[in-house]
């Protein structure tokens, strides 16, 4: 990987912070190097809402529209969506029923909420869990309206400053940079390639930029039941417990935190991952052992990239034998080399198909049209399969991922898929064109 920064805690004590690698801009990565923390940002948005709850300005179980009338959906059930359901991801909103989440024309929370007017709910409010970033954009906009100040200013004054997170910033879009920030990367062939990823609106759900040093202080505040290292009570112990507690019908999700085992198994921890196109992060409080860990990397998520959550647990496994190590992705170079072989094979087959298209079409002129169409069907299926990959990904995971984003997650695989689609469509078009021309010529030559 290009660079990594970590912080390890025991209880409310910072045991160690360290960094290694490059910041991608010609210097060393340090524990004070800012990096995007992606969806770890949700824990900050949740805390901002909880502060308003404890001041009596917001009730978690009241409808969102009581505080944010501009929150409108193309669904009559919009009036039943509560503030709690935004934070625990059970509002009923989901990627499959939302406008394009990766358009770059949205730059404010107000615009982000306004775009939801064409969205509908895929389940009744409170009934099912659907991890959906706009839930947190709406929550951040609610903070703006109730507090009367921009969300970034609120976080800076009410959260970052009291915790001592002086190198942490809130940003609106995924391509926004802050001073001293590391460069992002995409992984391929076990090597990092500098990349900014794609631009999209991220505030509220994934807009925070932070450092390992600052996240260490943040986790101390979480472990200390809301009390910062300087003695300020950011929220009450009950508020922290409520955010960490798994919510009904939320699949282990609390309010901006998970409280469950990882995807690969035990132990139970209070945690959150952050996965973006060019950066990744993890924060975890292992409640039984008392250890905590934060990991930041300046490369994005990927099928062959190191997972920050796995790295974090493996660090703690060296301290506590009750925390088992996890297996990493591994075989990144091997997998990309196999995919490269498929790229070359597909290219060769595509060129061969284009060269032979006229000859194969002419052979079918006097044969059954149904049989001819059947021979073209495999090419059509390849094109359909390539076009349907984002849809299949949405069906399998519930998360939107257009090809523009998938490229950063699995660049070599996407090159192969797109080449396969281009080759199949080219051969299909040429064979169809030559077939039609050959039949017309045959008809014209008949007496």
């Amino acid at each position: 990987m290009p660079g990594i920064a970590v912080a390890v805690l025991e209880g409310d004590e910072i045991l160690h912070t360290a960094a290694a690698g490059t910041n991608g801009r010609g210097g060393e990565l340090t524990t004070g190097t800012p990096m995007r923390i992606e969806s770890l940002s949700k824990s900050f948005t949740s805390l901002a809402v909880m502060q308003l709850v404890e001041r009596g300005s917001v009730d978690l179980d009241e409808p969102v529209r009581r505080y944010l009338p501009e929150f409108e959906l193309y669904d009559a059930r919009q009036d039943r969506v509560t503030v709690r359901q935004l934070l625990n991801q059970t509002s009923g909103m989901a990627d499959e029923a939302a406008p394009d989440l990766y358009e770059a024309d949205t730059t404010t929370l107000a615009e982000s909420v306004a775009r939801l007017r064409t969205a509908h709910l895929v389940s009744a409010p409170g009934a099912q869990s659907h991890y959906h970033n706009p839930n947190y954009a709406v929550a951040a906009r609610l903070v703006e309206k109730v507090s009367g100040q921009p969300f970034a200013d609120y976080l800076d004054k009410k959260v970052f400053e009291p915790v001592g997170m002086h190198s942490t910033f809130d940003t609106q879009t995924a391509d926004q940079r802050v001073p001293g920030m590391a460069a992002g990367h995409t992984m391929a062939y076990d090597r990092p390639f500098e990349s900014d990823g794609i631009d999209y609106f991220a505030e509220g759900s994934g807009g925070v930029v932070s450092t390992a040093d600052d996240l260490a202080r943040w986790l101390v505040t979480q472990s200390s039941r809301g009390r910062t290292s300087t003695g300020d009570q950011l929220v009450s112990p009950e508020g922290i417990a409520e955010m960490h507690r798994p919510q009904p019908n939320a699949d282990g999700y609390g309010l901006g935190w998970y409280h469950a085992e990882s995807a690969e198994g035990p132990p139970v921890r209070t945690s959150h991952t952050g996965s973006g196109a060019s950066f990744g992060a993890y924060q975890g409080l292992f409640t039984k052992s008392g250890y905590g860990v934060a990991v930041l990397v300046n490369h994005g998520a990927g099928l062959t990239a190191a997972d920050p959550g796995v790295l974090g647990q493996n660090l703690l496994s060296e301290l506590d034998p009750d925390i088992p190590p996890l297996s990493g992705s591994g075989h990144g170079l091997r997998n990309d080399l196999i995919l490269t072989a498929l790229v070359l094979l597909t290219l060769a087959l595509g060129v061969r198909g284009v060269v032979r298209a006229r000859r194969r079409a002419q052979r079918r002129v006097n044969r059954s049209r149904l049989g001819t169409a059947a021979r073209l069907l495999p090419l059509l299926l390849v094109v359909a399969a390539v076009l349907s990959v984002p849809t299949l990904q949405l069906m399998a995971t519930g998360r939107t991922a257009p090809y523009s984003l998938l490229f950063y997650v699995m660049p070599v695989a996407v090159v192969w898929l797109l080449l396969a689609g281009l080759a199949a469509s080219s051969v299909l078009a040429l064979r169809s064109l030559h077939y039609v021309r050959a039949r017309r010529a045959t008809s014209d030559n008949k007496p």
Side-chain angles (χ1 to χ4, degrees):
M1 65 185 67
I4 179 172
V6 304
V8 177
L9 293 79
E10 184 175 15
D12 58 1
E13 178 186 356
I14 301 173
L15 293 184
H16 192 60
T17 59
T22 173
N23 63 9
R25 303 194 184 280
E28 293 183 353
L29 193 76
T30 72
T31 57
T33 301
M35 289 182 271
R36 302 197 71 85
I37 64 171
E38 306 297 344
S39 284
L40 271 60
S41 307
K42 293 179 173 66
S43 62
F44 293 90
T45 302
S46 177
L47 186 134
V49 173
M50 185 61 71
Q51 286 179 325
L52 298 177
V53 169
E54 295 193 343
R55 291 171 193 158
S57 302
V58 172
D59 188 317
L60 284 175
D61 297 308
E62 284 293 313
V64 174
R65 284 175 52 79
R66 172 180 172 183
Y67 311 102
L68 193 65
E70 68 195 69
F71 171 61
E72 295 181 11
L73 304 172
Y74 192 64
D75 196 304
R77 295 172 293 180
Q78 64 184 12
D79 294 327
R80 293 162 48 193
V81 177
T82 67
V83 178
R84 182 188 300 276
Q85 290 161 0
L86 291 178
L87 299 181
N88 66 21
Q89 306 275 11
T90 66
S91 67
M93 294 193 294
D95 285 18
E96 63 192 85
D100 185 356
L101 301 180
Y102 294 99
E103 286 190 1
D105 60 347
T106 301
T107 58
T108 69
L109 287 168
E111 292 172 351
S112 180
V113 172
R115 292 186 73 243
L116 295 174
R117 290 172 183 167
T118 59
H120 64 271
L121 302 181
V122 301
S123 61
Q128 295 179 11
S129 174
H130 302 278
Y131 191 94
H132 186 54
N133 284 334
N135 280 321
Y136 274 77
V138 176
R141 178 60 176 160
L142 183 149
V143 171
E144 282 192 332
K145 294 291 286 187
V146 174
S147 69
Q149 56 187 307
F151 184 66
D153 290 350
Y154 183 94
L155 285 185
D156 190 50
K157 295 173 183 177
K158 301 296 185 180
V159 182
F160 300 154
E161 285 187 13
V163 176
M165 304 177 73
H166 302 302
S167 298
T168 299
F169 307 88
D170 176 65
T171 65
Q172 284 70 49
T173 58
D175 71 339
Q176 192 171 336
R177 297 294 180 259
V178 304
M181 184 173 165
H185 296 79
T186 295
M187 299 296 295
Y189 302 104
D190 271 353
R191 294 175 59 84
F193 295 87
E194 185 173 340
S195 122
D196 290 332
I198 64 173
D199 189 22
Y200 55 90
F201 187 74
E203 190 170 26
S205 62
V208 174
V209 176
S210 191
T211 70
D213 288 334
D214 281 3
L215 283 183
R217 299 183 186 98
W218 170 247
L219 290 183
V220 165
T221 302
Q222 299 294 322
S223 296
S224 301
R225 304 176 69 192
R227 186 174 296 277
T228 70
S229 57
T230 59
D232 293 330
Q233 193 71 44
L234 209 59
V235 294
S236 69
E238 293 77 16
I240 290 289
E242 184 65 20
M243 286 186 285
H244 292 182
R245 180 179 67 83
Q247 301 284 305
N249 300 324
D251 293 340
Y253 205 78
L255 307 179
W257 295 84
Y258 281 99
H259 185 78
E261 296 179 353
S262 75
E264 293 196 49
V268 171
R269 81 290 307 272
T270 301
S271 64
H272 212 293
T273 57
S275 300
S278 301
F279 293 91
Y282 176 79
Q283 59 183 5
L285 299 170
F286 288 66
T287 49
K288 183 178 179 180
S289 68
Y291 285 111
V293 64
V295 178
L296 294 88
V297 294
N298 58 341
H299 67 74
L303 297 181
T304 61
D307 184 291
V310 172
L311 296 172
Q313 181 157 336
N314 288 349
L315 283 172
L316 295 188
S317 71
E318 299 182 18
L319 297 175
D320 187 342
D322 291 331
I323 298 177
L326 300 176
S327 60
S329 57
H331 308 301
L333 178 59
R334 184 198 69 180
N335 293 342
D336 280 345
L337 289 176
I338 292 173
L339 287 167
T340 300
L342 291 174
V343 168
L344 296 175
L345 177 61
T346 302
L347 180 61
L349 291 173
V351 171
R352 179 174 177 266
V354 167
V355 171
R356 299 180 62 184
R358 182 192 296 270
R359 187 188 316 165
R360 297 197 65 176
Q362 290 174 340
R363 289 177 180 174
R364 303 295 308 178
V365 170
N366 297 316
R367 300 184 184 181
S368 164
R369 292 186 182 184
L370 183 60
T372 299
R375 286 177 174 269
L376 296 177
L377 183 59
L379 293 170
L380 186 61
L381 290 176
V382 170
V383 175
V386 171
L387 292 175
S388 66
V389 164
T391 302
L392 293 174
Q393 195 274 342
L394 175 61
M395 293 171 61
T397 68
R399 305 298 308 282
T400 296
Y403 266 117
S404 57
L405 178 61
L406 288 174
F407 174 78
Y408 295 97
V409 176
M410 47 183 192
V412 185
V414 166
V415 169
W416 172 55
L417 287 170
L418 294 181
L419 180 61
L422 177 62
S425 59
S426 298
V427 174
L428 178 64
L430 284 173
R431 284 174 61 177
S432 300
L433 178 62
H434 289 312
Y435 177 75
V436 170
R437 286 179 174 176
R439 286 192 64 87
R440 285 178 178 174
T442 300
S443 299
D444 291 343
N445 292 331
K446 287 182 178 181

